[in-house]
Amino acid sequence: MKKYNISLLPGDGTGPEVVNEAVKILENTKSNYDIEFNFTNNDLGGDRYLKSNELVTSKDLEELGSSDAILLGAIGHPDVKPGILEQGILLNLRKEFDQYINLRPVVLYPGVETPLANKGSEDINFTVVRENTEGLYAGAGGYIHYGTENEVATQESINTWKAINRCIVYAFEYAKQNNRKKVTLCAKTNVLTYAHDLWERIFNDVSESYPDIETDYGHVDAVCMWMVKNPEWFDVIVTDNMFGDIITDLGAMIQGGMGIAAGGNINPEGVSMFEPIGGSAPKYTGMNVINPLACIAAASMMLNQLGEEQYAKDIENGIIKTAQKLESLSAGKMGMSTSDVGDAVLSTILDN
Ligand code: IPM
Ligand code: MN
């Protein structure tokens, strides 16, 4: 019997509801895989911050750091100024645990509606590998003459050989292990002539060790265009933090929306954190109408990272079958409640 310690960070808004569904599925299926989970709940989030002014404490870090993986619901609270929780919790955890990859599969499951005309599940199936620790997210910059008409604000994109190299190596290894044929570098070498020149040189160097994998390059603006017009061109896309943030929201939309899009903040040598990529959806909180599939998909990615590939696949199949039964993937329009959707996924796994 294998045993995994999982830290749950249900967080804010609808986060707890979706994490609940994922945990329900894991609790009720684990014995089929001879697995035991030890779940620990952590109350990080907006409510705790408002009560105690605490974001992430050293005790939190110790607790989360001693787990095998973290499953996050959502961070974001209507009464907290935008930026505080995102920076103080989400980005902070990504950095503290050196989760240097943000892995975001963009897969349109059969029967799920996409806003792209004439595109189906055979066309939309790629993965974005986003650098997750630096670039414009590094926090380098500052103000001079704050609050005056002479104010200057800078925000620099930090690009180190080490971080780029490990990200690109990850992308090629991911392609190799998942039978993907092509890796596309998404950057802006025509304008970011230093930072993205470095990305391109490393991309070319690393690609030489993977002669069987095709390579391609797209400027980020063109990649946005092709993701809409010819998403079938993409297989694995590797990109920097900011561009990865932007193109994965576009990716989430073409795969059916935030109700289904999941991602992993991965440290292959450490503790990884998995999350539905949508927000905390405060207006749907407590109504049992939010779509839990994205969080269940995050749990499936988590199992994959833990090495439980079959278990991960079975949950993904449950998601695919359940998605087909929903009237829509959007909150409030599913034709089923949050807990019914969780039950539907659970029963398809148990029926296997
Ligand atoms: C995401 C989010 C975060 C990001 C925000 C909330 C800081 O948009 O996970 O994509 O920009 O990375
Ligand atoms: Mn984002």
Side-chain angles (χ1 to χ4, degrees), residues 18 23 30 53 92 111 168 205 215 243 265 300 320 331 340 350:
V18 296
V23 170
K30 61 186 182 186
N53 231 22
N92 193 1
I168 292 176
D205 283 350
T215 59
F243 291 172
N265 300 281
S300 163
I320 294 173
D340 286 344
L350 295 177

Side-chain angles (χ1 to χ4, degrees), residues 94 104 130 137 244-246 248-249 258 277:
R94 288 177 182 170
R104 296 191 165 177
R130 164 184 174 191
Y137 282 68
D245 178 46
I246 297 166
T248 53
D249 265 29
M258 291 300 182
I277 80 175

